[in-house]
Amino acid sequence: MSDVPATLIIVSVNSRRADRPLPEEPYSLSLEAHGVTRATYSPPLPVRVFVQLPTRQVRLDAVAVQASDDAVLVQWGRGPTERQCWVWRAAVKHRR
């Protein structure tokens, strides 16, 4: 085994590479499109969601934070990579 303390190895594994770009900002529905928030989920609900990014569409694991009659506010990532956007309710499926 190496003479490097285990804590240093853990920090280097969990540290973000400086040359790795941040994820793209997703497109989000406008206030006129998503309407008035009707529910806030605490704790957030785990979901699978289709998200539109500037260069592609992706399906990812996220959490539902809020909802209106027609749309859901979803959130994913952590720290500097955390993203959120409003999507149509049909783009969201419950996850267990």
Side-chain angles (χ1 to χ4, degrees):
M1 197 77 190
S2 171
D3 292 334
V4 178
T7 54
L8 290 179
I9 293 171
I10 291 171
V11 169
S12 66
V13 168
N14 289 331
S15 65
R16 182 169 177 78
R17 288 182 20 206
D19 62 338
R20 182 179 296 161
L22 290 174
E24 297 174 279
E25 287 293 330
Y27 291 116
S28 188
L29 298 173
S30 67
L31 177 58
E32 294 80 19
H34 70 73
V36 177
T37 299
R38 300 280 186 207
T40 300
Y41 303 119
S42 182
L45 304 174
V47 296
R48 289 279 289 164
V49 61
F50 280 103
V51 174
Q52 176 70 48
L53 301 173
T55 60
R56 65 191 188 283
Q57 293 177 353
V58 294
R59 188 169 192 192
L60 46 84
D61 291 335
V63 291
V65 180
Q66 295 179 342
S68 68
D69 291 338
D70 298 320
V72 179
L73 178 63
V74 293
Q75 185 175 36
W76 66 97
R78 289 186 290 205
T81 65
E82 184 176 277
R83 298 290 182 261
Q84 69 176 23
C85 66
W86 282 95
V87 297
W88 294 117
R89 191 176 283 271
V92 179
K93 302 291 181 209
H94 292 278
R95 178 171 53 96
R96 294 181 194 253

